[in-house]
Amino acid sequence: MTARRRFRDVIRIGPVQVATSYDGHGRDKHTAACTAPRCGFSADYDSRAAAELAARTHRCQI
């Protein structure tokens, strides 16, 4: 079963969106996900700074 997340503080850095949500234990998780077609990059981080750094340095392979 998939978890439904409610994202907040969503920003866009190039084609990558960075957002904050709660995990299943009530802790903050930060997600960076590329919105380019057929890219498939997404990752969860413990800090907002790490997620924003990943968004700034991401280069699509397509």
Side-chain angles (χ1 to χ4, degrees):
M1 182 173 185
T2 61
R4 292 192 44 98
R5 293 184 181 180
R6 178 169 284 165
F7 292 104
R8 62 187 192 282
D9 297 331
V10 178
I11 64 167
R12 186 176 193 97
I13 301 173
V16 181
Q17 285 187 336
V18 177
T20 303
S21 66
Y22 291 114
D23 66 358
H25 300 286
R27 296 177 294 223
D28 279 341
K29 286 292 182 183
H30 309 279
T31 303
C34 186
T35 59
R38 299 186 320 256
C39 179
F41 167 76
S42 68
D44 290 332
Y45 297 94
D46 290 331
S47 70
R48 180 75 182 205
E52 290 183 9
L53 179 64
R56 284 181 172 72
T57 59
H58 172 69
R59 300 291 177 255
C60 292
Q61 299 296 323
I62 303 295

